[in-house]
Amino acid sequence: MTAITSASAPTTQRFSSPAAGAYLGRIMAAYEHIVILTGAGLSAESGLSTFRDKDGIWSKHNIEDVATPEAFARNPEAVLDFYNARRRVVLGVGPNAGHEALARLEADFPGRVTTITQNVDPLHERAGTRNLIHMHGEILKAACAHCGARQPWETDLSVDLVCGTCNRAGGMRPDVVWFGEMPYQMEEIHAALGTCDLFISIGTSGNVYPAAGFVAGARAAGAHTVELNLEPSEGISMFAEAIHGKATEVVPVYVARLLGG
Ligand code: BJW
């Protein structure tokens, strides 16, 4: 990815109510290709835990025990238990106003909208987003660690399951991207970043690469860069504009601005 020189201080707004959003910010330019990057903060108000907030998933589990290929090789039962519990929670929640606004943007925006999510939940697609990249995989799919076959999977996984493609046992795992593994569709992502003129990062702390570097790629392509997050992220200095507040509040207002509403 192209290196980026330091950015000037972002225009930061503290968002307090939807009404306040009506007069915040500059008039939107006529964009042609919007790239949206989403993270756990977008799904938080649907009832899914984030990772690095005070009560987040990584405050209760060690990454090295549950989210690496080495952990799966060492103790597959513990890793599968961790994801079985999270899968059950995901099956019981639905999209929120933030997901719905982004689906509306894709449907109504006259140009192209590409959504890249780090989230493994299905809430974007359930809200209606179609041009979607699940770069960290999908918890409602299983993958075989032996042959790589992937399939929809909504029930618990266990070590005695046999892969229907290669007939080997012990390799069935959630189709998610662990630390040290290559995220999905990186070529498509870099192509999208290279052609976008607006990049919006929503609900992500900016701690995990390569996603944390996408803002630099978008800036290199000349895009306007915006952060919508509860609080300033690790990468805040890279954004030209930032609005801080809950995703269910700031995202619908920002989308309305883009759609001229
Ligand atoms: C709200 C809100 C509300 C709350 N409204 N906002 C050193 C330098 C650079 C890179 C590395 C390095 N050392 C290692 C690396 C690479 C590594 C990495 O980045 N490590 C870092 C820890 C430094 N990355 C990888 O390994 C990646 N692969 C890779 O790089 O491949 C290349 C390669 C491979 C092999 C050989 C050579 C090269 C893979 C990363 C995989 C990440 N996987 C996880 C788990 C997925 C499955 C699962 O769900 O269990 O993905 S980790 C976890 O973090 C999950 C998330 O997608 C990801 C990002 O988290 P996110 O979404 O940002 O959540 P939070 O909790 O961090 O932030 C939430 C934000 O929302 C907060 O800011 C809140 O304030 C906000 N919020 N409520 C709005 N209501």
Side-chain angles (χ1 to χ4, degrees):
M1 187 169 290
T2 314
I4 266 288
T5 52
S6 66
S8 53
T11 307
T12 304
Q13 300 156 350
R14 179 76 213 171
F15 189 85
S16 54
S17 73
Y23 56 84
L24 292 177
R26 64 184 176 81
I27 296 168
M28 305 308 297
Y31 297 112
E32 290 181 359
H33 183 193
I34 302 173
V35 170
I36 298 161
L37 172 69
T38 66
L42 178 63
S43 296
E45 292 166 83
S46 288
L48 299 180
S49 294
T50 60
F51 292 92
R52 295 169 186 81
D53 289 314
K54 192 164 58 67
D55 299 321
I57 293 171
W58 299 151
S59 72
K60 301 180 180 89
H61 299 270
N62 286 323
I63 290 176
E64 297 74 18
D65 294 338
V66 294
T68 65
E70 293 78 15
F72 185 63
R74 203 167 51 237
N75 192 347
E77 289 90 352
V79 173
L80 295 181
D81 283 353
F82 171 71
Y83 283 98
N84 288 340
R86 286 181 51 205
R87 188 182 302 102
R88 284 181 225 129
V89 175
V90 163
L91 286 167
V93 304
N96 63 47
H99 299 99
E100 284 159 7
L102 295 177
R104 194 160 58 246
L105 179 64
E106 183 188 284
D108 294 351
F109 185 68
R112 184 173 153 213
V113 178
T114 303
T115 302
I116 304 164
T117 188
Q118 298 170 86
N119 299 341
V120 299
D121 66 58
L123 300 185
H124 276 297
E125 48 272 48
R126 290 209 178 147
T129 292
R130 294 287 168 263
N131 189 21
L132 176 67
I133 295 176
H134 269 285
M135 67 174 291
H136 288 167
E138 296 170 70
I139 198 168
L140 299 187
K141 287 186 179 167
C144 174
H146 300 310
C147 72
R150 302 159 73 192
Q151 60 185 302
W153 200 279
E154 296 201 355
T155 55
D156 284 1
L157 285 165
S158 60
V159 286
D160 52 2
L161 284 166
V162 173
C163 171
T165 303
C166 70
N167 292 320
R168 292 176 67 188
M172 295 298 280
R173 53 167 281 185
D175 185 17
V176 300
V177 177
W178 288 323
F179 284 100
E181 296 183 322
M182 192 61 79
Y184 285 117
Q185 294 182 254
M186 287 306 298
E187 268 186 38
E188 289 97 320
I189 290 173
H190 285 303
L193 292 170
T195 59
C196 72
D197 46 17
L198 175 62
F199 175 82
I200 312 173
S201 173
I202 304 172
T204 177
S205 63
N207 273 282
V208 175
Y209 288 84
F214 292 170
V215 60
R219 283 176 59 98
H224 179 61
T225 54
V226 184
E227 166 168 280
L228 307 180
N229 203 46
L230 197 56
E231 59 194 8
S233 72
E234 285 288 313
I236 184 66
S237 63
M238 295 299 290
F239 290 90
E241 185 184 3
I243 302 176
H244 295 128
K246 290 181 179 179
T248 55
E249 296 176 0
V250 296
V251 176
V253 171
Y254 201 83
V255 165
R257 277 170 57 188
L258 283 172
L259 294 177

